[in-house]
Amino acid sequence: MKKILLYTILVMMAGSVFAEDARFIKANELFTDAKFLEAANAYEEILNSGVESGEVYYNLGNAYYKTGNLPKAILNYERALLMLPHDKDIRYNLEMANTQITDKLETVDEFFMITWYHNFKNSTKSDTWALISILAFIVSITSIAFFLFSSTKGIKQISFFLSIILFLISLISFNFSANQKDKLTNRSSAIIFTPSVTIKSSPSASGTELFILHEGTKVRVIEKVSDWYRIQISDGNEGWAPEKSMEVI
């Protein structure tokens, strides 16, 4: 009876994976046939079914880019980049889309070591960093065992320093993995979706007008009050915008 149940579960899982692959293949075929709006709808259908994939978001972004819908293209490129931070094609297409939006914002200068740190952290995805952390920890424990039980002085010295280095690598990798996972679960950026939105000094339509943003611009969400977001743009300026004017990445 247990074997029958296990077999049934495996068949159901295989059927689900096949269905997902079939839908993805069909959506790709629509894109190849230049039916970009239909392809976008097909990719959206996959995502709406509960499947979240960097590849699907990337292809959806491409489909919207081809239809000229820059805000949705940028939104889905950003979502794809959250899941596949090391993917150069996603990053390139996102940069191309950003060159076509209205707002050309300056960015606050960042110390080069911080930039290098972020680039290195994003050189692979969260699951890979977690795997590196686990493997480094296991080898570190093995090195400690060699240090404790080996009678050879040279092996003991090498094992001791190796265990420390690998333990540090394990901690750093775990931190990178946790940081990327946090970015996936606690998303704090959004894309402006309305053609233009006036940023206010307070969460109210009667607030003082500070500046105007246009569709496709990325903002960082700092806090929410009622149906207003306090946002910050890349040049450091802050203000309040209606929640309905943007979509969280």
Side-chain angles (χ1 to χ4, degrees), residues 80-99:
L81 203 59
L82 279 176
M83 305 189 76
L84 302 170
H86 58 291
D87 194 299
K88 294 181 180 178
D89 290 335
I90 297 173
R91 198 172 295 277
Y92 176 80
N93 284 15
L94 175 60
E95 290 173 357
M96 286 293 294
N98 279 326
T99 62

Side-chain angles (χ1 to χ4, degrees), residues 113-165:
M113 286 295 290
I114 297 175
T115 301
W116 178 86
Y117 168 81
H118 288 305
N119 289 339
F120 182 69
K121 181 178 63 178
N122 293 328
S123 61
T124 189
K125 55 186 180 181
S126 174
D127 292 345
T128 305
W129 281 123
L131 180 61
I132 292 171
S133 177
I134 292 169
L135 291 175
F137 182 75
I138 291 172
V139 179
S140 176
I141 295 299
T142 304
S143 297
I144 291 175
F146 273 103
F147 170 75
L148 293 174
F149 299 109
S150 177
S151 57
T152 306
K153 183 178 179 181
I155 293 178
K156 289 178 74 71
Q157 289 178 337
I158 293 172
S159 300
F160 177 76
F161 288 110
L162 188 61
S163 65
I164 293 175
I165 292 170

Side-chain angles (χ1 to χ4, degrees), residues 2 16 27 42 70 101-102 147 149 159 173 189 202 206:
K2 289 182 179 179
S16 175
L70 285 178
I101 63 175
T102 302
F147 170 75
F149 299 109
S159 300
S173 300
S189 296
S202 60
S206 61

